[in-house]
Amino acid sequence: MRTTRELDLGKLNSATKYPSIPTYHALGERGALLAEYVDFDGQPLIATEKVDGTNSRIILMPDGCYLIGSREELLHARGDLIQNPALGIVDTLQQTAERIVDVVSTPADVITVVYLETYGGKTTAAAKQYTSQRAFGFRVFDVSRIAVEHLDASRESIAAWRENGGQSFLREQELIELVDSLQLELTPRLEIQETLPTTIVETHAWLESMIPATLVALDDAAGGRPEGLVVRTADRRQIAKIRFEDYQRHQRRAAGKK
């Protein structure tokens, strides 16, 4: 088994980045919403709150090492004397990483990546919607398992593999069970009783009815405005994000044309 220090960290970083999530309605020029939408083909769906923070990773290696990263870069590894303080990610997640790295059962040839949204503090302009006291919070939203052998490919091939659905994510029930076993919290799940609306106007109204306020506020004085939802199938094969800002922008543009 190769140790973490024997691996190409640039390739590890690329292979464990979270892939882009498409918007439910396609984006056109200058962010305009188009009529084209993600067709879930009548499959049962799960809606989760999309928390407006900073995409973060805890990478659990087969040799007992862990790394903490933002969406784009690695910030810290177990045993490092120096850490990147960017956005408070390491300070917020390090204690959790230390706790779970020896708990997760990781085969000798598999990397487990826990994807989290770190929010509050000064992570984004929306932090005040979750906290009035600059507190930090985090929620797990996905977990992937990646074979170490994928790191043998070129960096270009790894990036293409990642953005074309190559990563293997846990199904919903597996995700729930793992996160529960680690004593962590998932992004809030909302039950969808019907199929999604398909028009832009109807989708905006549906979004407002589903999540009028955030479900992860860290104190009662927080602003409380949510970013939106992520909708996925239980097997995680299809996924799309539905953000208030996209539909509000579309509404303003439509009003301006009248």
Side-chain angles (χ1 to χ4, degrees):
M1 179 180 68
R2 287 175 289 176
T3 67
T4 301
R5 294 189 180 279
E6 293 174 314
L7 299 175
D8 183 322
L9 293 184
K11 291 182 178 181
L12 177 64
N13 182 42
S14 182
T16 59
K17 284 183 180 180
Y18 196 69
S20 302
I21 298 177
T23 54
Y24 179 56
H25 282 96
L27 293 178
E29 293 185 4
R30 299 181 181 179
L33 287 177
L34 305 177
E36 177 186 349
Y37 63 92
V38 175
D39 185 359
F40 287 103
D41 196 27
Q43 298 180 73
L45 299 175
I46 298 156
T48 69
E49 179 172 354
K50 188 178 190 306
V51 182
D52 194 344
T54 182
N55 191 305
S56 311
R57 296 171 275 170
I58 298 177
I59 306 166
L60 306 171
M61 304 299 294
D63 63 356
C65 181
Y66 71 77
L67 300 94
I68 298 173
S70 63
R71 168 76 172 66
E72 295 298 329
E73 60 183 329
L74 302 178
L75 305 175
H76 179 69
R78 189 178 201 179
D80 283 355
L81 296 176
I82 298 173
Q83 66 185 42
N84 187 327
L87 300 172
I89 293 173
V90 178
D91 281 343
T92 303
L93 299 181
Q94 186 174 9
Q95 185 175 354
T96 295
E98 289 282 356
R99 179 175 64 81
I100 69 174
V101 68
D102 295 323
V103 176
V104 172
S105 177
T106 304
D109 58 350
V110 173
I111 300 163
T112 299
V113 190
V114 181
Y115 296 98
L116 317 97
E117 198 71 23
T118 302
Y119 65 99
K122 295 182 178 180
T123 53
T124 68
K128 62 185 179 182
Q129 303 302 327
Y130 305 102
T131 177
S132 65
Q133 303 171 11
R134 293 186 177 177
F136 281 90
F138 61 89
R139 291 291 184 109
V140 177
F141 60 87
D142 256 324
V143 172
S144 70
R145 307 275 198 187
I146 298 171
V148 174
E149 64 184 22
H150 285 299
L151 304 186
D152 294 331
S154 67
R155 294 195 187 190
E156 294 76 13
S157 297
I158 291 172
W161 164 81
R162 180 190 72 235
E163 289 302 318
N164 285 283
Q167 292 161 318
S168 177
F169 289 90
L170 297 190
R171 292 169 175 261
E172 180 70 7
Q173 191 56 41
E174 294 173 318
L175 178 62
I176 291 171
E177 290 173 1
L178 176 62
V179 170
D180 183 61
S181 73
L182 298 178
Q183 299 179 1
L184 298 174
E185 289 186 283
L186 283 166
T187 47
R189 267 58 184 156
L190 291 84
E191 187 175 353
I192 300 179
Q193 298 286 359
E194 68 285 335
T195 57
L196 293 185
T198 58
T199 71
I200 294 171
V201 172
E202 289 174 339
T203 301
H204 189 188
W206 175 84
L207 182 61
E208 290 178 325
S209 70
M210 286 290 291
I211 186 163
T214 180
L215 300 173
V216 295
L218 298 169
D219 60 72
D220 293 338
R225 188 173 68 244
E227 184 184 11
L229 294 173
V230 174
V231 179
R232 65 177 76 193
T233 55
D235 62 8
R236 183 50 176 72
R237 289 181 181 274
Q238 284 186 285
I239 187 169
K241 58 189 176 185
I242 307 176
R243 301 178 299 187
F244 278 103
E245 65 174 316
D246 295 330
Y247 292 86
Q248 291 164 347
R249 182 174 58 243
H250 178 86
Q251 187 179 45
R252 290 193 298 268
R253 287 179 173 176
K257 293 178 180 179
K258 293 180 179 178

